[in-house]
Each structure stands twice: as structure tokens, then as C-alpha cells.
Amino acid sequence: MKHKISINTLCLYFTILSSFSFFSFTGPTNEVQEDARAPYKIKTIVIDPGHGGHDGATRGVIAREKDVALQVALKLGKSIEKEMKDVKVIYTRKTDIFVKLYERIEIANANNADLFISVHCNSMPKRPGTEKVRGTETFISGFHRMGEQDVAMRENASILLEENYEENYNFDPTDPESLIIFSLMKNQYRNQSFHLASLVQEEFAKSGRINRGVKEQGLAVLARAGMPAILTEIGFISNRTEERYMTSAEGQAEIVKNLTDAIKAYKAEVEK
């Protein structure tokens, strides 16, 4: 059953957002001001391997997205721990299990994470010519035009695999109107998310990958993030060449280096 969004519902969300804005701009107490003088450090990064368990139908010829995403995510975590010894890495999953979308970001929120990075493989429907589509793109939570919903619809469809998804999200991810809610729930870290995503795309481009840019989408896994959060599509599993690259040791090592270098550059900038 689809949940239609009424004017009253929209007004409620605007009221909630207004409340958040009020508290965000209210002057801090002396105690908070003292804490604010301490240098900011990125201490915790949550890495989210996309999909998993029974949510793993997207595949290429030789591999499944959920497996490739997990392999790259685990290697990325080890790379971060090696290159940034002052950073703690937390995973939303370390095995082939299904984790609900809202639980993924809640793991980050509950652990006061400084960054949330979700790793995915892109895919195109099987039509003449689509197997040639390739490249990398990174998403942040935000408003998007109606004609740019393909990725959001595909990723948000995972919600339908969850028990009580209507209670957890109060929307139907197949209804375009429902994405309006996500645009209203935009987080205050949009600019930081965009900058991190841009650095990721720049690193991919340095390795000769096609840069499809940074895009905003109403992705459920990012909507409630209390920190800079990105979802990066490391390549098209529907493209034979990119599938071989993403499943090779060399390809995964390069992808991990790209992501690590982007995070290191972002960390160095915000900790100045």
C-alpha cells in the first residue's frame, strides 16, 4: 500500500526541520564553548558494505554486488587502520548478512562516527548498449530531479525486504512522492559530504576511471546521517571489463587506495 504525502504531513516535517535549525543556531553553553576550542579530529569511520544476505540479487557474469562490496569494504577498513592509526573503524557488516538500511546509519549515529562510507557496485538493466556503461559516481543525500531516481529507487528497494518496513520508514520506496520526505530530512552535513564525495571522485579519476561525478539522491541509508556520509559506486558490475577489474586483486587494491587517499586528504583538511 502506498503512503500519499498530505500537506499536513509536509507541514509537520517543515516544523521538525525548523526546530532542528533553532537548536543548531542557539548559542552553546560555556561548557560546550570550552569543548569547541579543542581541535577537531576524525576518530571513528563507519564503513558500510552495501546489501548482503537475501538482499543480493544484483550481479554481473562472475560476481555479485554484495560480495564485491564486502571485499572492498573490509580491505578499505584495514587500509584506514594502517594509514590512519588514530582512527577507529566500525563495519555495518563483516559477513554475508542482511542489515536493514535504517540500522546501518544508526550504527554510525550510535557510535558518534565522524564519517559514514557506503560501498556499492553500480548496475544497468540488460538492454542493448547498457553493458557498455561504465565509470564511478558518488552520492550524497539530497534533493534530486524526478528524472534522476533510478539509483535511489534501486537502492531503496532493499527496504521492502525488511520486516515492518512501513513502521520503520513510514513510506513506500516505490512511490516517487515518498522521496520528498527524504529531501526534507536533509542533514546538516551536506557540504562536508559533497566535499568528501568530490575527493573520492578525483582519486578515481587519477587512476583513469571515468568520473560520472557527485550526485544527490534520496537514499534511505544516508537520510538520517548525523555526520558527513557518502555512498560510492565503485564501478558497473553489469560491464564485463569493470566487473573483472572490481573482482581482481589489483583492481580492488587500486579502489581501496583511491578511497583511502580521499579520506586522508579530507581528514588533513578538516583537522587543520
Side-chain angles (χ1 to χ4, degrees), residues 101 105 116 118 120 138-144 148-157 159 169 171 179 182-183 185 187 215-225 229-233:
L101 294 184
I105 200 62
F116 178 85
S118 189
H120 289 248
T138 301
F139 293 86
I140 65 173
S141 181
F143 182 78
H144 55 284
E148 298 175 345
Q149 295 175 353
D150 291 347
V151 172
M153 289 296 191
R154 182 171 69 86
E155 300 297 352
N156 286 344
I159 290 174
Y169 300 97
F171 89 115
L179 296 180
F182 281 129
S183 71
M185 294 172 65
N187 67 67
K215 301 176 182 179
E216 296 184 53
Q217 292 282 3
L219 299 173
V221 73
L222 302 180
R224 301 178 184 178
I230 64 172
L231 185 153
T232 186
E233 303 273 8

Side-chain angles (χ1 to χ4, degrees), residues 129-243:
T130 58
E131 73 280 356
K132 297 179 182 179
V133 178
R134 60 195 179 101
T136 65
E137 54 192 5
T138 301
F139 293 86
I140 65 173
S141 181
F143 182 78
H144 55 284
R145 293 189 295 271
M146 295 299 287
E148 298 175 345
Q149 295 175 353
D150 291 347
V151 172
M153 289 296 191
R154 182 171 69 86
E155 300 297 352
N156 286 344
S158 299
I159 290 174
L160 296 175
L161 299 176
E162 302 177 12
E163 294 181 5
N164 303 321
Y165 75 87
E166 292 180 333
E167 178 182 339
N168 293 331
Y169 300 97
N170 194 31
F171 89 115
D172 181 348
T174 63
D175 181 0
E177 286 187 356
S178 298
L179 296 180
I180 295 174
I181 291 179
F182 281 129
S183 71
L184 297 177
M185 294 172 65
K186 57 188 177 181
N187 67 67
Q188 62 179 315
Y189 299 103
R190 179 189 176 281
N191 290 338
Q192 295 98 319
S193 298
F194 184 86
H195 184 54
L196 175 59
S198 299
L199 291 172
V200 167
Q201 287 302 120
E202 288 172 11
E203 292 298 328
F204 282 143
K206 288 179 183 178
S207 294
R209 310 290 305 283
I210 291 178
N211 183 357
R212 295 170 61 89
V214 177
K215 301 176 182 179
E216 296 184 53
Q217 292 282 3
L219 299 173
V221 73
L222 302 180
R224 301 178 184 178
M227 73 292 299
I230 64 172
L231 185 153
T232 186
E233 303 273 8
I234 61 175
F236 280 82
I237 203 166
S238 51
N239 179 292
R240 291 291 300 277
T241 301
E242 289 207 329
E243 182 186 19

Side-chain angles (χ1 to χ4, degrees), residues 7-27:
I7 296 298
N8 289 337
T9 302
L10 290 177
C11 289
L12 173 61
Y13 276 101
F14 277 121
T15 301
I16 293 172
L17 285 174
S18 298
S19 299
F20 283 138
S21 299
F22 172 79
F23 287 116
S24 296
F25 290 100
T26 299

Side-chain angles (χ1 to χ4, degrees), residues 34 55 58 60 62 92 96 98 102 122 125 129 135 149 178 189-190 218 220 233 241 250:
E34 289 295 327
D55 177 21
T58 303
I62 61 174
T92 59
D96 184 20
F98 175 67
Y102 80 94
N122 226 330
Q149 295 175 353
S178 298
Y189 299 103
R190 179 189 176 281
E233 303 273 8
T241 301
E250 297 80 6

